[in-house]
Amino acid sequence: MLYYLFRFLEQFGISGSGMWGYISFRALLALILSLVISTWFGERFIKYLKSKQITETQRDASIDPFGVKKIGVPSMGGIILIVAILIPVLLLGRLRNIYLILMIVTTLWLGFLGGMDDFIKIFRRNKEGLKGKYKIVGQVSIGLIVGLVLWASPDVKMNENLTLERQNGQEMVVSHSAEAEKSLKTTIPFVKNHNLDYSQIMSFCGKYKTAAGWILFVIMTIFVVTAVSNGANLNDGMDGMCAGNSAIIGVALGILAYVSSHIEFAAYLNIMYIPDSQELVVFMCAFVGALIGFLWYNAYPAQVFMGDTGSLTIGGIIGVGAIIIHKELLLPILCGVFFVESLSVICQVWYYKIGKHKGVKQRIFKRTPIHDNFRVTDEQLDPECKYLIKAPHAPKHESKITIRFWIVTIILAALTIITLKIR
């Protein structure tokens, strides 16, 4: 709203109004504003949650030996994140931008879905929360909506990166197609001068390959949104873990969105140019600021938990943001921690079921998601169960585990950005 106000005032030559046309100014202002809102509003909202006894009621001491101390800590802190993200975005963003609209809808949709899950856990004393099938339906639905809008909207276009060889045969020059158009191409890491085209994957469909490619794209969008939101949800198991990892990922996505929206940087990195995607930079800055402010209260020892209200929303924002800038194939690297958390649970369940059919009680790790494996003592293990991996034998404090996961995510974020040049 402020963007449109000051752009209007610029017509009358009012001093300073022209600054609102610069994406860097609005993005940094969004980061600062979201940080202030999350810390200021967070303190008051935590007091409100305590007064209404919207707190953690159950902790599994067999998994987290210190977890019983966390009973009574307010939950549903994801509302702090949502408020701190949306207020700066609504004030500073171009609200007619299709990409910004999709990010706002994703935030509200998954925030509501996660809120329903937390509501059932807290007020109905049901630790299982919302049934898994309903949660999956909600995640698939927003993935479907995003995919179909990106398919159908005439505002969703991009200029393909074209590589030209100079006459001396030694230097490559990257330019972009003259006109923006609908495209099914996406960036492949580590591969030079090549984008993956979903329609080419579906070339066996003949003259219908373009339509089939869009269907594949929508399916990929659904998969990415569901996978990343579940991965973030699983990663939210220690104080500050998910918030810190997600802030780092948000910084990387903000950089990728910025270079994708700048034709010169896009040419330098040999990636596609996506007009109007700079509004994602404003959103990602608000996202990062909100998470950093939230860490003020969520870092060990946590004064508030984000709950599924926050974790599902965070994962959805990351997934949709990557899809919009055609960088979804970089997510296995960028969100490597989320990926490993999910994979550890899948492998653990699969290995346990194999043993169950054989009449043997077996597991791969001591606990999953994988971060829990590092804080479990050998004395807590089931003596009747066979464990494939028992390391480490000495449990680590959760703050040490959290910081080490942050370090891993920083390395993965740097590697993700480097892949754009190492091709």
Side-chain angles (χ1 to χ4, degrees), residues 309-327:
T309 308
S311 60
L312 291 181
T313 304
I314 285 171
I317 288 171
I318 293 170
V320 173
I323 285 282
I324 287 173
I325 58 175
H326 299 259
K327 300 293 181 290

Side-chain angles (χ1 to χ4, degrees), residues 104-302:
I104 292 171
V105 170
T106 298
T107 302
L108 292 172
W109 186 291
L110 289 175
F112 176 77
L113 183 68
M116 290 296 295
D117 186 69
D118 288 335
F119 178 86
I120 293 171
K121 288 178 181 176
I122 295 170
F123 293 98
R124 297 189 178 179
R125 308 292 179 179
N126 182 353
K127 66 178 182 179
E128 298 300 324
L130 189 67
K131 289 184 179 180
K133 61 181 180 180
Y134 297 129
K135 195 180 295 185
I136 292 294
V137 168
Q139 292 168 321
V140 169
S141 297
I142 187 60
L144 180 62
I145 291 170
V146 171
L148 291 176
V149 169
L150 292 176
W151 177 2
S153 174
D155 296 327
V156 177
K157 296 179 180 180
M158 71 92 164
N159 298 66
E160 184 184 351
N161 47 312
L162 306 172
T163 304
L164 306 175
E165 186 174 351
R166 285 193 176 180
Q167 292 181 356
N168 57 22
Q170 294 180 351
E171 189 174 357
M172 305 298 288
V173 179
V174 178
S175 64
H176 288 88
S177 54
E179 295 184 5
E181 56 185 14
K182 303 289 288 186
S183 177
L184 281 166
K185 293 186 177 180
T186 190
T187 301
I188 300 179
F190 303 114
V191 178
K192 188 175 183 178
N193 302 328
H194 183 68
N195 295 325
L196 176 68
D197 191 332
Y198 287 114
S199 63
Q200 290 302 316
I201 295 176
M202 306 302 290
S203 58
F204 61 88
C205 294
K207 63 180 181 179
Y208 301 107
K209 68 177 183 179
T210 301
W214 279 110
I215 293 172
L216 178 60
F217 170 79
V218 172
I219 293 172
M220 174 62 78
T221 302
I222 292 170
F223 174 77
V224 167
V225 173
T226 303
V228 180
S229 59
N230 281 327
N233 192 17
L234 290 172
N235 187 237
D236 181 32
M238 293 185 179
D239 297 352
M241 173 77 82
C242 185
N245 286 324
S246 301
I248 297 163
I249 293 169
V251 170
L253 276 179
I255 293 171
L256 292 173
Y258 183 73
V259 297
S260 297
S261 67
H262 195 293
I263 195 163
E264 292 181 2
F265 289 150
Y268 174 72
L269 294 170
N270 193 7
I271 58 175
M272 56 201 74
Y273 166 60
I274 306 169
D276 297 326
S277 62
Q278 67 270 17
E279 293 306 310
L280 281 182
V281 182
V282 176
F283 191 96
M284 284 301 165
C285 281
F287 178 65
V288 171
L291 286 167
I292 294 173
F294 185 73
L295 275 172
W296 187 271
Y297 304 106
N298 185 238
Y300 183 87

